């Protein structure tokens, strides 16, 4: 499968003066909301059968009615955050500068899913921020914070917060960024958004304790303006995140603590499993690399091998 492109060219061969430039602020499958520089909103579809625009894209479209249009061109992207499995790619957001990965002690969170999203962000040179929400759940939060100590040691920024009590400490991190709120369902992304931008009025729901997961209250990706230069893209919760767009070298580089040891193995094509004199395996044995992170890498590497 070819990796998603950060730019899409128009089928037009000459400039079209009748086209309007705008930004995708919501993506509903094959229909998109486009906001222009004058804050006018159009409901648009893609030209032909393509529907590879995503929230955050800058596009050119042709108006066909007072509030409707057809997207002709997706302008070059600076970044593209997406997941990819063996069957298809799922575009999540374009032109974001920061990934705000939200997790909480309840429902239980998946550290490997966090690893995958951090790797995807680094692959596109997107700044990461880990937000530990629901700190009002004192006992549960203490245990969750212990799991995140490793990420702090790796210099990932981690912010502990309670959306219900006070979401304001998050705001300075959001200024001058287009931030993508991402993570599993039920972690409080929409609650955080509503506290920071009350006009967003995103729906929230109680956690389904029986299933130990959150209900999908955000069903599509949408962009909101914090101010003229700061924006938030809220995305639906997910339970899996494929990285089939990457090769083994890029995958290993995505684990920050691996970088010191990469290139020091006996074999140039070392996969860092059971090869002799593997520098990463030796680093794990002496405590420089955590065994859980090595296992996370190996599971991802095996999933890439399955493409063959």
């Amino acid at each position: 499968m070819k990796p998603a492109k950060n730019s899409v060219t128009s089928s037009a061969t000459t400039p079209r003066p009748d086209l309007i430039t705008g930004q995708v602020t919501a993506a509903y499958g094959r229909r998109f909301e486009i906001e222009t520089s004058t804050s006018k909103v159009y409901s648009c579809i893609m030209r032909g059968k393509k529907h590879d625009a995503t929230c955050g894209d800058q596009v050119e479209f042709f108006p066909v009615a007072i509030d409707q249009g057809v997207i002709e061109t997706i302008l070059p992207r600076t970044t593209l955050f997406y997941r990819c499995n063996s069957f298809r790619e799922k575009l999540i957001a374009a032109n974001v500068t920061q990934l705000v990965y939200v997790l909480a002690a309840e429902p239980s969170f998946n550290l490997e899913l966090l690893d995958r999203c951090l790797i995807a962000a680094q692959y596109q040179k997107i700044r990461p921020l880990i937000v530990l929400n629901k700190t009002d759940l004192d006992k549960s939060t203490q245990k969750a914070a212990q799991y995140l100590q490793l990420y702090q040691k790796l210099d990932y920024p981690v912010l502990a917060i309670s959306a219900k009590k006070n979401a304001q400490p998050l705001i300075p991190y959001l200024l001058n960024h287009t931030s993508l709120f991402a993570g599993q369902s039920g972690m409080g992304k929409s609650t955080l958004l509503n506290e920071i931008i009350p006009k967003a009025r995103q729906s929230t729901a109680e956690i389904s304790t029986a299933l130990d997961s959150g209900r999908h209250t955000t069903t599509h990706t949408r962009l909101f303006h914090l101010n003229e230069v700061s924006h938030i893209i809220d995305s639906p919760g997910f339970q899996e995140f494929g990285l089939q767009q990457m090769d083994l070298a890029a995958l290993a580089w995505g684990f920050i603590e691996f970088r010191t040891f990469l290139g020091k193995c006996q074999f140039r094509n070392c996969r860092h499993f059971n090869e002799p004199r593997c520098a990463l395996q030796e680093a794990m044995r002496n405590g420089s690399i955590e065994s859980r992170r090595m296992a996370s890498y190996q599971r991802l590497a095996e999933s890439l091998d399955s493409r063959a």
Side-chain angles (χ1 to χ4, degrees), residues 138-209:
D138 296 331
K139 292 183 179 180
S140 300
T141 296
Q142 290 177 9
K143 185 176 181 180
Q146 291 177 354
Y147 287 122
L148 297 179
Q149 286 179 357
L150 168 65
Y151 296 89
Q152 291 177 295
K153 290 178 182 178
L154 295 174
D155 291 330
Y156 284 109
V158 178
L159 175 66
I161 199 171
S162 172
K164 289 186 176 180
K165 287 188 175 181
N166 182 15
Q168 296 304 304
L170 178 58
I171 292 180
Y173 292 87
L174 303 176
L175 298 178
N176 301 307
H177 279 288
T178 296
S179 299
L180 171 65
F181 280 18
Q184 295 170 244
S185 302
M187 298 299 175
K189 299 186 300 296
S190 295
T191 302
L192 273 173
L193 177 63
N194 287 337
E195 292 299 316
I196 294 168
I197 307 178
K199 291 183 179 179
R201 295 192 299 275
Q202 289 292 83
S203 61
T204 58
E206 295 298 323
I207 297 167
S208 173
T209 55

Side-chain angles (χ1 to χ4, degrees), residues 139-302:
K139 292 183 179 180
S140 300
T141 296
Q142 290 177 9
K143 185 176 181 180
Q146 291 177 354
Y147 287 122
L148 297 179
Q149 286 179 357
L150 168 65
Y151 296 89
Q152 291 177 295
K153 290 178 182 178
L154 295 174
D155 291 330
Y156 284 109
V158 178
L159 175 66
I161 199 171
S162 172
K164 289 186 176 180
K165 287 188 175 181
N166 182 15
Q168 296 304 304
L170 178 58
I171 292 180
Y173 292 87
L174 303 176
L175 298 178
N176 301 307
H177 279 288
T178 296
S179 299
L180 171 65
F181 280 18
Q184 295 170 244
S185 302
M187 298 299 175
K189 299 186 300 296
S190 295
T191 302
L192 273 173
L193 177 63
N194 287 337
E195 292 299 316
I196 294 168
I197 307 178
K199 291 183 179 179
R201 295 192 299 275
Q202 289 292 83
S203 61
T204 58
E206 295 298 323
I207 297 167
S208 173
T209 55
L211 297 175
D212 190 30
S213 65
R215 296 173 186 153
H216 288 272
T217 57
T218 301
T219 57
H220 59 273
T221 308
R222 177 176 282 277
L223 183 145
F224 301 91
H225 304 294
L226 181 59
N227 58 38
E228 291 184 357
V229 295
S230 310
H231 317 282
I232 299 172
I233 297 177
D234 193 25
S235 65
F238 47 77
Q239 305 301 326
E240 58 181 24
F241 200 99
L243 294 174
Q244 296 289 317
Q245 69 269 35
M246 302 178 67
D247 59 24
L248 283 175
L251 176 63
W253 186 257
F255 287 80
I256 293 177
E257 67 272 42
F258 289 10
R259 295 177 183 177
T260 302
F261 310 101
L262 293 174
K264 297 181 180 179
C265 300
Q266 180 178 4
F267 300 105
R268 292 180 61 185
N269 62 344
C270 184
R271 295 172 62 252
H272 318 302
F273 278 75
N274 299 311
E275 295 87 350
R277 297 185 62 184
C278 169
L280 269 65
Q281 290 289 337
E282 292 177 7
M284 183 185 69
R285 286 191 287 271
N286 66 32
S288 298
I289 292 176
E290 189 184 77
S291 59
R292 186 200 65 78
R293 290 271 287 177
M294 178 60 78
S296 179
Y297 160 79
Q298 291 177 342
R299 282 190 290 270
L300 278 166
E302 287 176 338

Side-chain angles (χ1 to χ4, degrees), residues 26-79:
Y28 308 90
R30 297 189 178 187
R31 185 165 291 275
F32 308 89
E33 285 188 8
I34 311 296
E35 182 179 358
T36 69
S37 59
T38 60
S39 299
K40 184 173 180 179
V41 176
Y42 289 79
S43 177
C44 296
I45 58 172
M46 289 289 300
R47 172 71 66 188
K49 295 182 179 181
K50 297 186 300 180
H51 53 278
D52 50 1
T54 191
C55 196
D57 267 326
Q58 294 287 337
V59 301
E60 292 178 329
F61 67 95
F62 178 72
V64 296
I66 191 170
D67 59 354
Q68 296 181 25
V70 177
I71 299 172
E72 299 282 353
T73 310
I74 301 173
L75 298 178
R77 297 158 170 154
T78 57
T79 62

